[in-house]
Amino acid sequence: MSLPPLAIYIHWPFCRSKCPYCDFNSHVRERIDEGGWTRALVADLDHQAALAPERQVVSIFFGGGTPSLMPPETVAALIGRVKAHWPVAPGLEVTLEANPNSAEAERFAAFAEAGVNRLSLGVQSLDPAALKFLGRAHGRDEALAAIALARAHFRRYSFDLIYTRPGQSLGSWREELDEALALAGSHLSLYQLTIESGTQFATRAARGEIDMPDDDLAAQFFEATQDRLAAAGFPAYEISNHARPGAECRHNLAYWRYEDYLGIGPGAHGRVTTAEGRVATRHRRAPEAWLAAPVLETTPISPETALEEMLMMGQRLAEGVPRGRIEAMAGRDVEALFGPALPRLVEGGFLTLDEERLSATSEGRQRLNSVLAALLAEITSPAS
Ligand SMILES: C[S@@+](CC[C@H](N)C(=O)[O-])C[C@H]1O[C@@H](n2cnc3c(N)ncnc32)[C@H](O)[C@@H]1O
Ligand code: SF4
């Protein structure tokens, strides 16, 4: 059996400031022991290399937090270490998430020199008032300058925007999108603002200080975004991700296609095929606790969990999930597996099924949690 390709995620958990909407594993610290962090991340990589030997690495992704705060030497050391452990694919994708603050943009050339070949910039908005509302540490001019530098140093770059913001009008979002399209390379990530529990926005929303658009308006924002991006040649390949055909993020595709990936660093998780079957790996989240004891928790994945996870990840993608893969995993055909839920969801316009694939429609992707709940309920109670 040929072993599946491998993607590698490396987490840098530090940020300049904590954004009020963000529930990622990101923390503000006055001092960071950069040498200690480099050694710990390299050691984690060495340890996990033993879990997944003899693979070809297709992607490395530095995520965060704010990996553009990493010393470029640390980035270079980690890329070098990956190459020492595994052969890499000819088109190896090496992505780094960057914030557009000018101090970090000055390092873009050094990151490119270190081996990064794709930059993902957290622009979040091109509107100064929205950047302020989102509590960002950069302004519009810094964002524009960082995009120009990204274009100068990286053949592939993407940037993130957050929309469906309180008080935002559809018209102003369309204008912002058009400006974004004029600045874009071949990939854009467009996220609808969500209020995550435990964040400052959650507290403010509970006090009635943040008035989020209702579901109908949110749906209109989503549709307008899908239509505009598709018309501009950037179809959605995932709920929030748009690319020119062929420019999709290889790394994120590995997650959504439920392929193998290692998670290096605090809070990072992985899915790895081993000689004993597929396992889930997990690291503790708190940076200092991880640094003191970077113990990797490894749990076997049952066939039922694997099927559920594959569907949950795969239905985010426009391409959906190969029918043959679902049937091989479940040991029965999809009609028997999903029972009456399947024709109901297909007739309702939320799913499509053909010889090759089961895919969510744009409507379905917009309400993915309910669509998946309906499908998965059938799996756990199969008709006798
Ligand atoms: C790991 S984060 C960030 C990368 C980088 N630290 C930054 O902020 O520029 C990935 C992206 O998730 C999006 N995001 C984070 N929290 C969100 C929320 N509550 N609602 C919508 N999008 C969110 C932002 O667009 C962000 O750029
Ligand atoms: S959005 Fe990015 S910069 Fe802001 S706290 Fe989260 S990870 Fe850090």
Side-chain angles (χ1 to χ4, degrees):
M1 184 188 82
S2 78
L3 286 164
L6 192 64
I8 297 178
Y9 175 83
I10 301 174
H11 190 76
W12 186 259
F14 304 114
C15 293
R16 247 173 229 289
S17 52
K18 182 79 186 175
C19 304
Y21 54 85
C22 176
D23 78 338
F24 281 84
N25 188 20
S26 58
H27 308 266
V28 180
R29 297 287 184 265
E30 228 159 74
R31 266 203 67 257
I32 295 158
D33 169 12
E34 289 176 342
W37 274 89
T38 306
R39 284 190 294 280
L41 290 170
V42 167
D44 191 15
L45 195 55
D46 290 348
H47 173 72
Q48 294 201 44
L51 263 185
E54 291 164 38
R55 302 297 182 86
Q56 187 183 56
V57 171
V58 291
S59 158
I60 306 172
F61 192 104
F62 293 92
T66 304
S68 49
L69 293 174
M70 289 172 88
E73 303 74 46
T74 300
V75 172
L78 287 160
I79 295 171
R81 204 67 177 177
V82 168
K83 291 181 174 171
H85 283 300
W86 297 275
V88 298
L92 175 73
E93 177 184 282
V94 185
T95 306
L96 182 125
E97 282 182 344
N99 285 30
N101 304 305
S102 52
E104 289 155 61
E106 280 171 15
R107 294 180 179 184
F108 289 178
F111 289 131
E113 187 73 19
V116 173
N117 57 24
R118 182 175 182 277
L119 201 78
S120 173
L121 263 180
V123 167
Q124 318 307 359
S125 176
L126 296 166
D127 168 9
L131 286 172
K132 205 155 177 226
F133 166 73
L134 292 169
R136 295 295 292 186
H138 67 271
R140 172 184 157 87
D141 291 347
E142 271 179 303
L144 295 176
I147 294 171
L149 274 173
R151 183 186 300 124
H153 291 293
F154 301 94
R155 201 173 53 78
R156 297 173 70 198
Y157 68 93
S158 175
F159 56 88
D160 300 352
L161 296 177
I162 296 180
Y163 71 108
T164 327
R165 306 181 299 250
Q168 189 179 26
S169 73
L170 263 173
S172 68
W173 171 232
R174 284 201 181 96
E175 281 172 22
E176 198 176 338
L177 257 189
D178 282 345
E179 188 179 10
L181 279 163
L183 296 166
S186 52
H187 189 287
L188 282 173
S189 299
L190 306 169
Y191 299 104
Q192 291 200 288
L193 178 63
T194 51
I195 302 294
E196 304 290 348
S197 64
T199 61
Q200 210 192 95
F201 270 13
T203 312
R204 284 165 57 189
R207 284 200 210 117
E209 292 167 12
I210 292 184
D211 191 13
M212 286 296 287
D214 64 21
D215 288 354
D216 279 353
L217 186 54
Q220 287 178 41
F221 268 93
F222 184 79
E223 291 301 332
T225 305
Q226 306 290 301
D227 293 350
R228 182 71 193 96
L229 270 281
F234 285 70
Y237 67 98
E238 190 266 352
I239 301 173
S240 309
N241 284 278
H242 301 257
R244 293 198 185 279
E248 297 84 1
C249 173
R250 179 73 194 76
H251 190 86
N252 288 338
L253 279 179
Y255 294 152
W256 297 318
R257 288 179 177 159
Y258 204 47
E259 294 170 351
D260 275 14
Y261 56 94
L262 298 182
I264 308 295
H269 53 86
R271 295 287 180 278
V272 197
T273 306
T274 71
E276 285 76 44
R278 203 147 196 252
V279 297
T281 67
R282 208 171 62 175
H283 267 308
R284 61 189 60 184
R285 269 173 76 88
E288 288 75 18
W290 179 84
L291 192 63
V295 184
L296 187 71
E297 198 183 294
T298 306
T299 323
I301 305 175
S302 69
E304 295 74 26
T305 304
L307 179 62
E308 211 173 294
E309 287 188 342
M310 182 182 70
L311 287 168
M312 285 172 52
M313 298 309 281
Q315 293 306 338
R316 300 176 63 98
L317 288 170
E319 68 184 24
V321 181
R323 181 181 180 129
R325 199 171 171 205
I326 302 174
E327 294 181 342
M329 236 183 219
R332 47 189 164 148
D333 63 35
V334 288
E335 285 86 356
L337 181 66
F338 298 123
L342 185 58
R344 212 169 50 235
L345 290 164
V346 170
E347 277 153 34
F350 302 111
L351 288 177
T352 58
L353 175 69
D354 62 25
E355 292 292 299
E356 299 293 325
R357 301 185 161 270
L358 176 67
S359 317
T361 60
S362 172
E363 287 269 287
R365 285 199 297 280
Q366 212 181 323
R367 301 164 182 76
L368 195 56
N369 288 345
S370 344
V371 171
L372 285 169
L375 269 185
L376 296 175
E378 291 293 331
I379 300 185
T380 48
S381 56
S384 53

